[in-house]
């Protein structure tokens, strides 16, 4: 069975896994000496995690085709959480 | 097709009307759980802000590779579970059951890798009391691990639901899937905040 939806789930899974592999090269555990904070890396990491979270909610949890109240609540959650994390980090 | 409440897609593949997967109660629970976890995440970030160097050096002791592999394992499990929902809707219960088992096995692999990760950390003397970072590390990954275990129970219920021709309720399969994806979603956040950002 390969419906449009089933195919979309597979594409999303490939994208999610690819983004995860990129993280492998970014973590502080990769640094040989003492790790230094990095605003560009952190902003990139948070942006990638935001995209991953939204893809999981939209395609795996099928919120993309769910009623508006659920789409709005999950989007609000995403914006508040990642906005707060970024704000505290940059503060 | 057994499912009456699904709006589903028409032949052209475009959605005709909104469909709430699972049920409202499950979503209230999921949203509540996301809010509770988020407060932990924000408290973690505030502590991180106050002890930047401590947290950064502690992060270097984490096994980034195990973190990456475990993320891939959970994403794969979510793929299995999401496809099993599609198959259930199409009435392909046998295949749906097999994919549910696949998803559950990934969950077991996650737990085993996490246990190995914890034991090596403890072996290196990095315990709950080592510093604030490790307190959060054990607390957040521990609470998450409990969710994985509970998710396996949900997948078990889904499996028996699919096995019994008298049951096979699509909404039940969706409920298990929704919970399981939430476990995956929370891990993606934990992974970014603890293992990767610096």
């Amino acid at each position: 069975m390969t419906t449009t939806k089933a195919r979309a789930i597979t594409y999303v899974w490939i994208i999610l896994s690819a983004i995860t592999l990129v993280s492998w090269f970014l973590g502080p555990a990769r640094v040989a000496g003492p790790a230094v904070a990095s605003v560009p890396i952190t902003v990139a990491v948070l942006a990638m995690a935001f995209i991953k979270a939204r893809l999981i909610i939209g395609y795996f949890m099928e919120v993309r085709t769910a009623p508006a109240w659920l789409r709005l609540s999950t989007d609000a959650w995403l914006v508040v959480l990642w906005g707060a994390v970024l704000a505290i980090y940059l503060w | 097709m057994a499912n009456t409440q699904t709006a589903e897609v028409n032949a052209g593949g475009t959605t005709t009307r909104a469909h709430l997967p699972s049920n409202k109660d499950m979503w209230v629970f999921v949203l509540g759980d996301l809010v509770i976890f988020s407060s932990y995440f924000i408290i973690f970030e505030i502590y991180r802000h106050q002890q930047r160097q401590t947290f950064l050096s502690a992060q270097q002791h984490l096994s980034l590779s195990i973190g990456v592999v475990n993320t891939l394992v959970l994403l794969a499990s979510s793929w299995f579970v999401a496809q099993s929902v599609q198959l259930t809707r199409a009435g392909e219960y046998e295949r749906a059951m097999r994919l549910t088992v696949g998803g559950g096995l990934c969950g077991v692999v996650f737990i085993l890798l996490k246990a190995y990760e914890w034991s090596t950390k403890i072996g290196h003397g990095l315990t709950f009391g080592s510093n604030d970072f490790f307190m959060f590390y054990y607390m957040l990954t521990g609470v998450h691990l409990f969710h994985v275990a509970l998710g396996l129970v949900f997948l078990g219920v889904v499996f028996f639901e699919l096995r019994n021709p008298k049951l096979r309720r699509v909404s039940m399969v969706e409920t298990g899937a929704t919970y399981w994806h939430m476990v995956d979603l929370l891990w993606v956040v934990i992974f970014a905040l603890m293992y990767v950002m610096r």
Side-chain angles (χ1 to χ4, degrees), chain A residues 1 3-7 9-11 13 16-18 20-21 23-39 41-42 45-46 49 52-54 56-57 59-71 73-74 77-78 80-82 84-85 88-91, chain B residues 8-9 12-13 15 17-21 24 27 30-31 34-35 38 41-42 45-46 48-49 52-53 56-57 59-65 68-69 71-72 75-76 78-79 82-83 85-87 89-90 92 95 174 178-179 181-182 184-186 188-189 191-193 195-198:
Chain A
M1 188 205 65
T3 61
T4 316
K5 256 192 164 179
R7 249 195 313 269
I9 289 169
T10 301
Y11 292 148
W13 168 67
L16 288 167
S17 303
T20 303
L21 286 174
S23 316
W24 213 324
F25 301 96
L26 300 177
R30 302 275 302 185
V31 184
V36 232
S38 162
V39 176
I41 289 182
T42 299
V45 168
L46 296 182
K52 276 164 87 175
R54 200 163 190 279
I56 292 172
I57 293 172
Y59 288 84
F60 287 174
M61 299 174 109
E62 302 186 310
V63 169
R64 218 166 56 94
T65 50
W69 67 267
L70 189 55
R71 292 203 307 271
S73 338
T74 47
W77 172 72
L78 281 170
V80 171
L81 172 66
W82 295 106
V85 169
I88 296 167
Y89 179 79
L90 295 174
W91 165 31
Chain B
E8 259 315 311
V9 287
T15 307
R17 65 193 158 92
H19 164 65
L20 181 72
K24 212 170 189 171
W27 279 104
V30 165
L31 292 173
L34 291 181
V35 169
S38 302
F41 294 148
I42 288 170
E45 288 302 320
I46 293 171
R48 174 198 195 98
H49 176 77
R52 284 190 180 204
Q53 209 44 55
L56 209 47
S57 335
Q59 275 182 291
Q60 285 193 293
H61 295 291
L62 293 188
S63 337
L64 182 62
S65 302
V68 168
V69 172
T71 310
L72 294 174
L75 290 173
S78 265
W79 179 87
Q83 294 294 3
V85 170
Q86 303 299 320
L87 290 165
R89 287 183 190 144
E92 295 190 46
R95 288 182 65 200
E174 289 176 349
T178 300
Y179 182 86
H181 296 313
M182 179 193 74
D184 186 13
L185 175 63
L186 288 171
V188 162
V189 181
F191 175 68
L193 298 188
Y195 291 76
V196 202
M197 73 179 272
R198 42 166 124 160

Side-chain angles (χ1 to χ4, degrees), chain B residues 91-159:
Chain B
E92 295 190 46
Y93 303 112
E94 287 295 325
R95 288 182 65 200
M97 273 163 67
R98 279 203 295 275
L99 289 184
T100 304
V101 172
L105 287 177
C106 288
V108 172
V109 170
F110 180 92
I111 292 176
L112 293 175
L113 282 172
K114 184 54 70 192
Y116 170 76
E117 191 186 344
W118 275 358
S119 65
T120 46
K121 291 289 153 289
I122 294 168
H124 289 135
L126 300 165
T127 60
F128 192 83
S130 294
N131 58 38
D132 283 341
F133 178 86
F134 279 100
M135 176 192 76
F136 278 107
Y137 166 76
Y138 285 108
M139 197 268 283
L140 283 172
T141 56
V143 176
H144 178 263
L145 201 63
F146 172 74
H147 280 67
V148 178
L150 195 61
L152 288 177
V153 175
F154 268 92
L155 292 185
V157 172
V158 166
F159 179 80

